[in-house]
Amino acid sequence: MSLSFGILVFPQVQQLDLTGPYEVFASVPDSAVHLIWKDGEPVRSATGLPFVPTATFETCPPLDVLCIPGGAGVNPLLEDEAVLDFVRSRAREVRYLTSVCTGALVLGAAGLLKGRRATTHWYAHDFLARFGAVPVQDRVVRDGTLITAGGVTSGIDFGLAVVAELIGREEAETVQLTLEYAPAPPFGAGTPAEAPPAVLERARKRLCGSRAAREAIVGRIT
């Protein structure tokens, strides 16, 4: 089965939000993965890694899956009608509409989360209800043809879940094995509930800049 995956790429995208599911999707035989943006000019991720779009909004082929990753660059997208119109139009056509991390907020800004169960990064989770979503504290959440993932590294789990939905568990497990995805983190600090209080506070301070701007934008559009 030939499958077509599209991942939105944009300035200040969180690179692992994108590359985690990209690696999973691209590992499926006979699959095509498109990096989609307004034009073909290279963009830099939030950590400086450059990406070159392979399709534009106009040239993007039909997709089975559209994925919106997150990152600091999500903030301007929440008010970017060209982006929101593209997401809305493709949402009507794809088999699965998906997001990783704060990419869910783009779906919310496009009006696609109302009444739907969804998740996002822990530090943005409180924004979901403001877009009419039903917030769920899970790593991957499916509501019909909508699949959302939590923060950053959950994109790999999410990618495998999407492959299982499209092709079956055996193919998803085969991809998991080829990637040797068997996470065993050295520390138990991967969620706010697990992290020591001092670590949680350090993380909040590190993330607060993009959050402050996001609060202002969400306040304007909701």
Side-chain angles (χ1 to χ4, degrees), residues 36-90:
I36 310 161
W37 185 231
K38 296 176 181 179
D39 54 48
E41 294 299 313
V43 300
R44 287 191 176 274
S45 76
T47 50
L49 185 67
F51 290 102
V52 179
T54 60
T56 67
F57 294 169
E58 290 74 28
T59 65
C60 182
L63 302 172
D64 293 290
V65 176
L66 175 62
C67 175
I68 313 299
V74 156
N75 287 357
L77 303 189
L78 301 180
E79 299 181 291
D80 190 324
E81 284 304 317
V83 171
L84 299 179
D85 285 345
F86 173 78
V87 172
R88 290 185 193 106
S89 66
R90 290 308 178 109

Side-chain angles (χ1 to χ4, degrees), residues 100-177:
V100 176
C101 197
T102 52
L105 305 185
V106 177
L107 300 183
L112 300 170
L113 293 185
K114 294 177 181 177
R116 310 291 294 275
R117 300 169 69 250
T119 193
T120 188
H121 189 281
W122 61 268
Y123 203 40
H125 213 268
D126 56 309
F127 288 112
L128 290 174
R130 295 168 69 174
F131 289 111
V134 179
V136 179
Q137 292 279 3
D138 279 338
R139 196 156 169 85
V140 180
V141 174
R142 176 177 175 182
D143 186 324
T145 58
L146 174 72
I147 304 177
T148 55
V152 193
T153 59
S154 64
I156 300 175
D157 304 58
F158 149 83
L160 293 169
V162 171
V163 171
E165 291 290 341
L166 289 167
I167 308 174
R169 177 169 176 166
E170 185 173 9
E171 177 59 29
E173 289 181 338
T174 302
V175 171
Q176 179 179 2
L177 181 57

